[in-house]
Amino acid sequence: MRASPVVLLLALGSTSLGASPLAAQVPDTAKAPHPTPGVAPGDTLAADTVQADTAEARERGPRWRTSWFPYLTGGANDSPVFSFLVRHWQPAEYEARSTYTGALAAGAGIAPHGSRFVGASFKAPGLWEGWRLSSVGALERQTRYGFFGLGNDTQYNKDAVGDADPFLYRVRRTRYRIGAEVTRRLEGPLQAALLTEYVHAHFTALRGSSIFATDFPSGEVTQGDVSGRLALVYDTRDNEYNTHQGLLLEAGTQVGSGGDGYTRQYAILRGYLQVREGTVLAARIAGSGMGGTPSLDSRFVLPGWEKPIPVLGGEYSHRSLDYGRLTGRGTLFGNFEIRHDLLAFGDLGAITLLTFLDAGRVFEQESWKLTTQDMKVGGGGGVALRILRSTIFTFNFAGGPDGFNFSVGNGWMF
């Protein structure tokens, strides 16, 4: 089942846990001879106390706030996902690269065919000078995850899917994941990031004929994976929530215990160029190769900085393919898109038109190499809705080797 063609932000409610700091409301007596509000003339002790409190408030930054909202979005071949999110966060300065300094979030969701998730995260891109923290804990069950076999030459015969074998290319995947990533700025835009995580994954064949049951006759695969990943990150983006200009380059190495143990080397290169006001060209190239005996689940995920990428297929890696369409020990893919604001409303949001081209492949038996041979190529267009300065939904209409595919993304693809 493809992603639902409807995504709607149902409601947005927030309550501030405190007003903004008083720094902008209390005059600086060192610069102006006006009396301090609420302090009697000549009472220097009280005035000094107010000024000290003001300086402390300024140092703490804006007060933390709590927001909550239900929403609909796309899922991994099971849509729409009905979700609810609660977020406790601290706004960043208006000109900051991120819209927040820190955020603690918890959410849950369910889809029509039984897919569901519950999770919590804490992200702090600006709480500590020179440091970033990103941590997550999640439990998820995906009842229609794609499995078409291993390797780049797997076939998808839509005519073979019918009432007798509705789940020929589907598998149930249950995952428990907990991870934490610490990033340290080294010099200028250069940073080092260390990720540690544990993933427990259980794959189960569904009723009827199944490609998964053919490859794994028991119909089940259960694996645990403890991994560590070290990456170098070069980030010159103008901002992180709606990038118009700059580079985000990363390369890293990962060691994991899944399967009989594996190693992975990867690189993800992203670039953004604003050619005119409201029009941005964006491109990404990513590659990953694995050695040893990796787990099945590790083949489906590229451990990108602060945000893993599901490969290969779906709205975050290849929009003309289903989630899990291509699976292998290595992957190579690229994405190019043009984003043009059809209607821009400043900080209130925008309606943006998209044109994109995606290409990619995987490597299973053969060694990874930089090549354009046997690439699965697709493209299309779409519409993005940006709400305020942080929420972005994308509606993607793509055509490719498997025909038409519709998907919905939460945020830009990259």
Side-chain angles (χ1 to χ4, degrees):
M1 179 176 177
R2 303 279 169 81
S4 166
V6 179
V7 171
L8 174 64
L9 187 64
L10 296 178
L12 176 61
S14 66
T15 178
S16 174
L17 298 186
S20 299
L22 297 177
Q25 304 174 25
V26 180
D28 185 348
T29 56
K31 296 181 180 179
H34 304 297
T36 303
V39 178
D43 191 347
T44 56
L45 178 60
D48 290 344
T49 301
V50 170
Q51 292 178 36
D53 291 343
T54 300
E56 183 180 354
R58 186 184 299 113
E59 181 69 21
R60 288 197 305 266
R63 298 292 182 90
W64 287 68
R65 304 172 181 176
T66 300
S67 302
W68 61 89
F69 48 94
Y71 63 98
L72 300 178
T73 189
N77 306 320
D78 184 8
S79 299
V81 180
F82 302 82
S83 304
F84 188 86
L85 180 70
V86 178
R87 186 168 181 255
H88 184 56
W89 59 290
Q90 183 185 52
E93 296 294 333
Y94 183 83
E95 298 297 335
R97 289 166 44 85
S98 174
T99 58
Y100 65 97
T101 63
L104 175 64
I110 188 168
H113 295 288
S115 296
R116 53 182 178 262
F117 78 90
V118 61
S121 66
F122 177 71
K123 296 186 177 183
L127 284 181
W128 305 285
E129 180 67 26
W131 294 88
R132 297 172 69 109
L133 174 64
S134 178
S135 60
V136 64
L139 293 77
E140 59 183 351
R141 185 177 75 168
Q142 296 156 323
T143 61
R144 299 292 187 273
Y145 205 82
F147 186 85
F148 300 77
L150 300 178
N152 199 60
D153 297 327
T154 56
Q155 301 298 312
Y156 181 22
N157 181 7
K158 293 184 179 181
D159 294 335
V161 180
D163 294 339
D165 298 307
F167 307 120
L168 183 62
Y169 300 110
R170 296 290 181 254
V171 66
R172 180 186 295 115
R173 183 175 76 160
T174 304
R175 299 175 79 233
Y176 307 87
R177 173 179 173 242
I178 183 170
E181 183 174 55
V182 178
T183 304
R184 172 63 177 170
R185 183 183 300 114
L186 301 178
E187 184 70 29
L190 184 63
Q191 305 170 79
L194 177 64
L195 168 69
T196 59
E197 66 177 357
Y198 170 72
V199 176
H200 177 88
H202 181 68
F203 294 83
T204 309
L206 301 171
R207 64 176 175 85
S209 299
S210 166
I211 298 297
F212 180 80
T214 301
D215 287 1
F216 301 93
S218 67
E220 293 188 26
V221 172
T222 301
Q223 295 173 320
D225 185 10
V226 178
S227 66
R229 186 225 67 202
L230 180 64
L232 288 178
V233 179
Y234 182 83
D235 187 0
T236 64
R237 292 173 295 170
D238 55 347
N239 66 70
E240 299 180 17
Y241 53 89
N242 187 30
T243 307
H244 293 89
Q245 198 84 17
L247 298 172
L248 176 56
L249 315 177
E250 62 174 295
T253 184
Q254 181 186 31
V255 177
S257 67
D260 292 327
Y262 66 91
T263 60
R264 183 197 324 246
Q265 286 72 46
Y266 82 96
I268 307 173
L269 314 177
R270 310 171 184 89
Y272 309 85
L273 175 65
Q274 180 171 266
V275 294
R276 61 182 295 274
E277 184 67 29
T279 303
V280 175
L281 306 183
R284 175 177 68 178
I285 300 176
S288 169
M290 305 175 77
T293 309
S295 63
L296 177 60
D297 186 71
S298 65
R299 288 171 160 92
F300 285 104
V301 180
L302 185 58
W305 179 55
E306 293 200 326
K307 184 179 180 180
I309 303 173
V311 294
L312 187 61
E315 57 266 28
Y316 301 113
S317 59
H318 200 309
R319 285 161 285 200
S320 70
L321 303 177
D322 278 351
Y323 267 93
R325 174 63 181 87
L326 297 174
T327 308
R329 295 159 54 94
T331 185
L332 174 65
F333 62 93
N335 315 104
F336 174 77
E337 64 183 34
I338 302 174
R339 308 168 184 170
H340 175 71
D341 289 343
L342 179 64
L343 296 173
F345 308 105
D347 288 343
L348 295 178
I351 299 175
T352 303
L353 299 181
L354 302 174
T355 300
F356 57 82
L357 179 68
D358 299 334
R361 61 160 298 164
V362 298
F363 305 85
E364 178 60 25
Q365 301 299 331
E366 66 272 48
S367 299
W368 187 95
K369 60 182 178 180
L370 185 61
T371 179
T372 59
Q373 185 179 4
D374 298 326
M375 283 278 182
K376 312 300 183 184
V377 181
V383 178
L385 302 180
R386 179 168 59 84
I387 304 171
L388 301 178
R389 298 205 307 155
S390 56
T391 303
I392 298 173
F393 292 114
T394 60
F395 305 77
N396 308 301
F397 305 84
D402 296 335
F404 175 76
N405 193 36
F406 178 85
S407 62
V408 174
N410 186 359
W412 296 119
M413 184 188 198
F414 59 92

